[in-house]
Amino acid sequence: MSEHLVGTSHLETAATAAPERRERAWARPLYLLLALLLACALPWFIYPPIALDILCWGLFAISVDLLLGYTGLLSFGHAAFWGSSAYITGIVAIETGMPFPVAILLGALAAMVIAVPTGWLAVRSTGIYFAMVTLAFAQMLYFVANRASGLTGGENGLQGIPRPFFGMELIETEAFYFYYAALPLIILGCFIAWRTVHSPFGRVLLAIRDNPARARALGFDVEGYKIVVFVISAGIAGVAGGVFSSGHGFASLNDLMWTTSGKAVLITVLGGIGTLWGAMVGSGILVTLEDYLTTLGFEGIGIVTGTMFIVIVLLFRRGIWGSVQQAWHWALGKARLRWG
Amino acid sequence: MFKSSLKIVLGTTVAVSLAACGGAGGPGGGSEKISDGKLVLGVLNDQSGPYKDLSGPNSVEAVKMAVEDWKAAHKDDAVTTDIEVITADFSTKPDVANTKAQEMYDRENADIILDVPNSAAALAVATQAKNKKRVYINVGGGTSALTGASCNKYTFHWAYDTYMLANGAAKSVTDSGGKTWSIVYPDYEFGQASDKLYTGAVEAAGGKVIAHIPTPFPNENFATFITKAQQGNPDVIASMHGGGDLANFFKQYQQSGGDKSTKVVGGVVFLSDIKSIGAEPLKGMQFTDSWYWNMDKEARAWADRFQEKVGTRPTAINAGNYSAAYQYLEAVQEAGTDKSDDVVAKLEGKKINDIFLRNGEIRAQDHRVIHDVYLAEVKDPKDIKEDEDFEKIVTTIPAANAFRPLDQSECSM
């Protein structure tokens, strides 16, 4: 019954979206190629460790957007998954010396495992309550990590995380080369998010976001869908957190702090909720801005990012990427009217 | 043929003599011995977060003062006078500190990084120093892992560490008759570690800890914990709290009408804490301090100059940054180059007396800088005659007894 309905809704959306898709058939590969080129060129223009930070925070924000933009759930505790994967990745790399992608994937897996009970409890609530339950879980994990200093190093953090990669020394030591070695993992994370959104499953999520009662009436297991997307999102956040701790060579309690969750939400809103790629744009802007402000001797970094947040929320509800998209479509429409 | 050889000989002579002149260098110019012709000192600390008053912008000023003073002291013989101080704010985020440290070493050619007052950040920067083979002197961080399990050839620890904080107060207070202790600590990793360190030091000095009392962290109401701490009438009640918790604990302790004969000890207290809390709630509290601006004439003279420049009295960490920067420049001068290995060789084992270090020595084995430290007491507000003169030095703890003995260190370089 339920499967049949999924199929139907998919057909319907495909049908309604058909004309649009045809005219954009050439555009999508082009955009993807451009994005890939940009990602490859980034460390030539930006200091490589910062370029990697941009990708990590971007992917992390994409995982938040998957919940916030496509399922209507504001998670304020995503640091739990980012941070736990950061630690597990580090522990695996230190203890076993496995290649870093394996360590990161194991870290992401651990984040997904943690997400199952969290999600199971959290999805029973919505809105601010959902945010609070996720926040509570993240805080709990923060204190657990603080207490378990034998495993996590407590205040000192888990230091000296290696990034073994089949003895290729450049990748293991140079941030520039590590960037390219880690890029496929980031792309994998983006792909999973994109595939989730553009699947029948993703359509159901949209339905749940817009009208959970009707989705339930149509026979969808609303909670079940929410848990699944919550776990997927945690996995993506885990990939981002794992790459982050491998790149930096350490994991710290900061990775589990609520401010880390807040930063991910901030980046998502900045880039544009429900745009996926907007998260990367938001991350690029926020990370480079923060990096720039650290050397200015200016005391109020929070004031600048906070003001930016307020302006975006008040004036550009679609975020930076959403607004650019809107302007682009508007310009395209104008051009079409003029030149047919 | 002859002509052309002559040309070559002439040309070579001219070139060599020119090179020699250039090599001798005019005063003020950089020489080949200094990479990129100048020295770059990076100060990486917290300029917008909770450690801003402890270190922050004032430490940057202190380092600038050190550079000026050093230039004045070496007018003509300075190996270079082209010295730049750069700074960045990591606002307690270890990952930002890590990226910034790499950037300072790689892109801004920093020869040394100073400060970094946060344990996780300090250890991350130490790893970068090791990888990039550049000097790093930690001043504001407390973790004794920097000269323990995580020590490395290029990292030095200048002012204080958690071992010394616990050892100093625990030993001198126990020696002066405080035999039984109650330790109240915030129940998280740092508090537990402080509790352990204090217990070890008290017992080593022949005292006894009769109660270990964990409190939630952060916490507002300490009433029950204070009552628990007072049970069994200990000679000493020690609190391992910091910041706001520290203020709350001692305010409530005073309100509870604590026994006047009981000594109170603060585990982690800095001048900046007393400044923000005020002397009244903390009066009579004893703690270990690595330096105090009004402790003697020399410190005082420097503090006066500092105040003239910055407008406030220096913390121990400010003075420590001055001292570290100055001694680094001295080592560069002695080595005649800024090559890290040569500078480190000059620093190792060096005995130092300056405005900050008394009977100081840079231990070659673990790079712990040992020096005299002090048991300080917060003055009664009635006795404070001068602005910011909050502390009274009770005893001096000699350098040899203040820090972790080498045989207890896990350091192997």
Side-chain angles (χ1 to χ4, degrees), chain A residues 19-256:
Chain A
E20 192 194 12
R21 193 162 288 175
R22 202 182 310 127
E23 72 182 2
R24 285 223 222 140
W26 54 272
R28 179 156 290 146
L30 187 72
Y31 290 153
L32 283 177
L33 193 69
L34 277 176
L36 193 65
L37 276 177
L38 189 67
C40 287
L42 205 58
W44 294 84
F45 300 107
I46 298 176
Y47 187 52
I50 293 175
L52 189 66
D53 278 4
I54 292 176
L55 291 194
C56 291
W57 285 107
L59 183 61
F60 187 23
I62 283 179
S63 79
V64 170
D65 195 23
L66 195 58
L67 289 180
L68 184 58
Y70 294 90
T71 325
L73 295 168
L74 170 61
S75 166
F76 209 76
H78 250 46
F81 312 121
W82 160 276
S84 51
S85 169
Y87 275 112
I88 302 284
T89 300
I91 291 166
V92 169
I94 289 171
E95 298 298 330
T96 69
M98 279 198 256
F100 78 85
V102 180
I104 291 168
L105 290 177
L106 284 175
L109 191 69
M112 290 169 85
V113 170
I114 293 170
V116 173
T118 317
W120 185 77
L121 265 170
V123 298
R124 266 140 242 283
S125 50
T126 51
I128 191 81
Y129 303 102
F130 180 84
M132 287 299 119
V133 172
T134 48
L135 174 64
F137 260 99
Q139 285 303 92
M140 195 177 76
L141 229 65
Y142 174 89
F143 284 101
V144 167
N146 197 341
R147 294 294 300 249
S149 57
L151 208 59
T152 62
E155 292 269 292
N156 286 350
L158 185 69
Q159 298 283 343
I161 298 175
R163 37 193 199 220
F165 197 68
F166 310 109
M168 292 165 93
E169 207 174 303
L170 279 178
I171 288 174
E172 287 169 8
T173 55
E174 293 286 326
F176 180 80
Y177 297 98
F178 178 76
Y179 176 92
Y180 290 103
L183 190 57
L185 282 166
I186 300 285
I187 292 174
L188 173 75
C190 292
F191 175 76
I192 292 172
W194 180 82
R195 197 69 200 88
T196 307
V197 168
H198 294 91
S199 67
F201 176 78
R203 298 288 166 180
V204 179
L205 293 181
L206 286 183
I208 291 172
R209 177 192 71 183
D210 294 337
N211 197 334
R214 180 171 292 182
R216 200 188 306 275
L218 286 170
F220 292 114
D221 176 9
V222 172
E223 274 74 34
Y225 274 90
K226 280 183 178 175
I227 292 174
V228 172
V229 73
F230 191 79
V231 172
I232 293 173
S233 168
I236 296 170
V239 170
V243 174
F244 191 75
S245 74
S246 286
H248 279 279
F250 71 96
S252 72
L253 286 175
N254 217 63
D255 294 334
L256 284 168

Side-chain angles (χ1 to χ4, degrees), chain B residues 39-237:
Chain B
L39 279 176
V40 181
L41 281 66
V43 185
L44 182 56
N45 61 20
D46 174 15
Q47 297 164 13
S48 53
Y51 303 113
K52 183 184 149 213
D53 295 329
L54 174 64
S55 192
N58 290 355
S59 286
V60 181
E61 288 304 318
V63 169
K64 284 182 181 160
M65 267 174 85
V67 171
E68 291 310 313
D69 291 356
W70 186 82
K71 277 189 196 167
H74 293 271
K75 277 199 187 78
D76 300 321
D77 68 330
V79 65
T80 179
T81 51
D82 200 351
I83 304 169
E84 193 188 350
V85 176
I86 56 171
T87 174
D89 170 21
F90 74 92
S91 48
T92 71
K93 293 194 191 97
D95 54 297
V96 176
N98 186 46
T99 311
K100 274 289 146 195
Q102 291 179 59
E103 216 172 348
M104 279 183 168
Y105 283 141
D106 283 347
R107 294 202 138 180
E108 305 179 84
N109 294 313
D111 295 289
I112 176 177
I113 289 178
L114 288 152
D115 211 9
V116 196
N118 169 296
S119 293
L123 290 165
V125 175
T127 308
Q128 294 300 345
K130 182 180 161 195
N131 293 344
K132 314 258 178 210
K133 298 191 169 41
R134 299 274 179 91
V135 181
Y136 163 48
I137 299 183
N138 180 285
V139 184
T143 175
S144 39
L146 277 172
T147 53
S150 305
C151 73
N152 68 63
K153 188 185 168 184
Y154 301 94
T155 300
F156 295 84
H157 203 180
W158 209 262
Y160 77 101
D161 60 32
T162 45
Y163 181 95
M164 159 255 173
L165 285 182
N167 188 51
K171 192 170 171 354
S172 36
V173 172
T174 312
D175 284 348
S176 66
K179 295 294 177 200
T180 51
W181 288 59
S182 279
I183 299 179
V184 189
Y185 61 94
D187 197 10
Y188 72 115
E189 210 264 329
F190 175 80
Q192 294 151 9
S194 302
D195 174 48
K196 261 187 214 140
L197 280 171
Y198 259 82
T199 307
V202 167
E203 281 167 1
K208 197 167 177 272
V209 179
I210 54 171
H212 303 269
I213 301 151
T215 71
F217 168 77
N219 190 31
E220 299 283 327
N221 187 348
F222 287 97
T224 52
F225 306 110
I226 289 168
T227 316
K228 265 193 205 165
Q230 286 167 329
Q231 277 166 10
N233 286 322
D235 299 331
V236 186
I237 292 179

Side-chain angles (χ1 to χ4, degrees), chain B residues 238-309:
Chain B
S239 150
M240 303 297 134
H241 297 87
D245 281 9
L246 181 81
N248 281 334
F249 180 85
F250 281 105
K251 266 180 205 160
Q252 291 167 23
Y253 179 74
Q254 282 192 2
Q255 284 159 6
S256 79
D259 187 353
K260 288 285 177 289
S261 65
T262 307
K263 273 187 191 158
V264 282
V265 166
V268 259
V269 182
F270 297 96
L271 181 66
S272 46
D273 295 317
I274 308 172
K275 236 188 247 184
S276 69
I277 296 169
E280 182 60 36
L282 298 177
K283 66 183 175 195
M285 180 191 68
Q286 299 192 330
F287 61 100
T288 323
D289 206 352
S290 51
W291 182 85
Y292 179 56
W293 67 267
N294 205 7
M295 66 182 197
D296 60 19
K297 246 189 221 158
E298 211 189 341
R300 164 103 214 190
W302 184 77
D304 286 343
R305 281 174 53 217
F306 184 87
Q307 184 167 37
E308 216 167 273
K309 204 168 171 199

